[in-house]
Amino acid sequence: MSKLKYTQPDEMGFYGEFGGAYIPELLRPNIEELQANFDLLATDEEFQAEFKNLLADYVGRPTPLYLSKKMTAEFGCPIYLKREDLNHTGAHKINNAIGQILLARKMGKTEIVAETGAGQHGVATATVCALMNMKCIVYMGEKDIERQAPNVQRMKFLGAEVVPATSGSKTLKDATNEAIRHWINNPTAYYLIGSVVGPHPYPEMVTSFQAIISKEIKMQLKEKTGIEIPTKVIACVGGGSNAAGAFFEFYEHEEVELIAVEASGLGNETGHSAATSVLGRPGVLHGSLTLLMQDEYGQVTEPYSISAGLDYPGIGPLHAHTIEIGRTKSISVTDQEALTAAKKLTIEEGIIPALESAHALASLYKIEFKSNDVVVINLSGRGDKDMKTYTNVGF
Ligand SMILES: *Cc1c(COP(=O)(O)O)cnc(C)c1O
């Protein structure tokens, strides 16, 4: 296979200047074992068949590609929603969790460790662990445990052990630190990472499992319009897994505009933002060299967004690279803009979006459209988990 220009990292796991595997020596054998097993998957027919079957019959794929007539009228070009909100457990996270649990099983693992922020990745991981009879330990910031009680209850009901991360800001970054520490102390455990972040080969691996999103978009557009390539694809970015999946098939089609939407919280100038590609500088976090929100001394700073799923101080190295070279465009959306977009979709379409996905919807007001545009927005998840926030702001 010829090298893909954007989506294929080099031997060391670098996308341009970003990526790599900055890990303690103790973890080197684990990473090498993971890499070797991941390399085999592409030609492993049993794995491919099982992945495909579970995505179809357990997750509920393909998810619909829905043409919104109202949004089409409003913006003057066809606007499609890729309905990842209709997946089992309510978001795209399950695509990756299924891929990695099959890999873990192949590697003979019986214990899974994961981190979670809002709890969506924790729920997806606890779900696939129940399915595969694996022990599941999920690290979650103490603050997030309080904020996201329903997801904590779901994880526990599914049989997972939820361990509070009590260091630092007691949120996702700290939960990730503690999950990695657990992995170092328990090298037989499998670390199931939830986004396109972390040491090589995780970003490449998670991207490959989420790529199903854009593979389906192509087939569905072809069926509906006769042309499989849209002109614009829009997705929100926390770490960047739903965006990487939605963009994957289109990176090499230079004419397709890829738009990554980051959360700017109260605004990029306020000190309360999570827009990493705007505010970040290169640095190492969680095993990867990437764009990172940090102070003048290189200390990671606290991101802020109303949406726990976008509240991460880094961004996957594929996105850091493609944004830096101009292949992907980034747009910032505030809490208020996202809330307004969430309410609008709910009232106009009868679809309550996740707060994360609402950021992607709000970006429509910051983009110029032409009548010959064909636009796909990845609706990464549903809003059940956000009802408390929506209620508190007075919707
Ligand atoms: C976790 C999550 C995100 C952010 O994660 P990415 O890796 O950037 O996709 C976005 N939307 C929803 C619904 C999520 O649960």
Side-chain angles (χ1 to χ4, degrees):
M1 197 171 72
S2 66
K3 189 165 166 22
L4 296 168
K5 186 166 161 198
Y6 296 105
T7 50
Q8 208 175 334
D10 69 17
E11 285 278 282
M12 305 296 286
F14 282 90
Y15 299 90
E17 65 173 296
F18 298 109
Y22 296 82
I23 47 165
E25 270 318 298
L26 270 170
L27 283 180
R28 189 69 55 190
N30 301 49
I31 284 288
E32 279 168 9
E33 181 195 17
L34 182 66
Q35 176 76 60
N37 281 278
F38 172 57
D39 285 345
L40 297 174
L41 293 186
T43 53
D44 183 335
E45 280 171 23
E46 196 186 320
F47 172 89
Q48 294 299 341
E50 198 164 3
F51 184 50
K52 199 170 144 216
N53 288 340
L54 283 172
L55 287 183
D57 299 339
Y58 187 74
V59 174
R61 304 202 70 92
T63 59
L65 185 69
Y66 167 67
L67 175 69
S68 163
K69 291 208 179 89
K70 288 179 183 158
M71 291 166 89
T72 297
E74 183 176 356
F75 293 99
C77 58
I79 309 262
Y80 291 92
L81 300 177
K82 180 60 173 161
R83 299 288 310 274
E84 292 301 294
D85 59 313
L86 294 176
N87 283 323
H88 181 41
T89 71
H92 65 291
K93 297 258 173 29
I94 191 89
N95 304 326
N96 166 54
I98 294 270
Q100 287 199 57
I101 201 81
L102 290 174
L103 176 60
R105 196 186 59 184
K106 231 174 93 69
M107 290 167 70
K109 305 288 186 180
T110 55
E111 179 180 321
I112 303 296
V113 57
E115 79 295 320
T116 197
Q120 287 302 103
H121 174 58
V123 167
T125 304
T127 297
V128 297
C129 284
L131 179 68
M132 297 289 175
N133 304 317
M134 297 232 199
K135 182 174 170 191
C136 181
I137 301 157
V138 180
Y139 284 88
M140 187 168 185
E142 205 168 42
K143 198 164 132 195
D144 290 333
I145 289 181
E146 281 165 29
R147 292 197 282 191
Q148 309 287 337
N151 274 343
V152 176
Q153 287 161 356
R154 287 164 85 193
M155 285 185 267
K156 289 186 172 163
F157 197 47
L158 286 159
E161 184 189 340
V162 181
V163 185
T166 55
S167 61
S169 58
K170 305 180 173 59
T171 59
L172 176 59
K173 160 177 72 68
D174 313 285
T176 308
N177 288 338
E178 298 202 16
I180 292 176
R181 199 167 304 140
H182 180 102
W183 193 29
I184 294 172
N185 292 329
N186 303 270
T188 55
Y190 179 92
Y191 179 30
L192 205 159
I193 214 164
S195 190
V196 288
V197 299
H200 179 65
Y202 280 104
E204 185 186 7
M205 179 162 75
V206 177
T207 298
S208 75
F209 295 143
Q210 293 292 2
I212 184 70
I213 300 172
S214 53
K215 293 187 164 94
E216 287 177 5
I217 292 172
K218 266 171 86 173
M219 290 193 319
Q220 291 166 323
L221 271 183
K222 174 107 185 165
E223 211 177 280
K224 288 176 197 298
T225 70
I227 297 170
E228 60 180 19
I229 307 295
T231 62
K232 290 180 167 63
V233 185
I234 305 172
C236 65
V237 171
S241 68
N242 86 87
F247 297 167
F248 186 84
E249 288 287 323
F250 307 116
Y251 277 108
E252 310 294 329
H253 293 271
E254 308 269 354
E255 71 279 17
V256 181
E257 204 178 326
L258 306 174
I259 299 165
V261 184
E262 293 182 308
S264 60
L266 303 182
N268 282 342
E269 273 75 55
T270 64
H272 300 280
S273 169
T276 309
S277 78
V278 178
L279 301 171
R281 285 180 291 116
V284 172
L285 181 70
H286 302 141
S288 172
L289 172 61
T290 192
L291 288 176
L292 205 56
M293 290 173 55
Q294 50 190 304
D295 65 17
E296 61 199 291
Y297 307 106
Q299 290 292 327
V300 175
T301 53
E302 258 343 288
Y304 165 78
S305 165
I306 193 171
S307 147
L310 302 181
D311 193 351
Y312 183 70
I315 179 176
L318 167 63
H319 296 302
H321 173 56
T322 52
I323 289 172
E324 189 161 277
I325 61 172
R327 175 67 190 94
T328 302
K329 180 176 165 188
S330 90
I331 290 183
S332 299
V333 162
T334 64
D335 288 358
Q336 197 51 55
E337 290 164 340
L339 286 167
T340 304
K343 177 70 177 181
K344 192 161 190 289
L345 191 78
T346 301
I347 293 302
E348 291 187 355
E349 298 287 348
I351 300 171
I352 305 177
L355 254 172
E356 291 83 2
S357 322
H359 285 73
L361 295 164
S363 76
L364 289 173
Y365 295 94
K366 305 183 171 207
I367 298 169
E368 270 184 42
F369 296 104
K370 297 190 230 61
S371 58
N372 60 352
D373 269 325
V374 176
V375 181
V376 178
I377 305 175
N378 199 39
L379 200 68
S380 56
R382 56 180 174 246
D384 308 30
K385 67 182 179 55
D386 299 311
M387 281 317 298
K388 200 168 140 198
T389 307
Y390 291 151
T391 307
N392 286 348
V393 298
F395 281 176

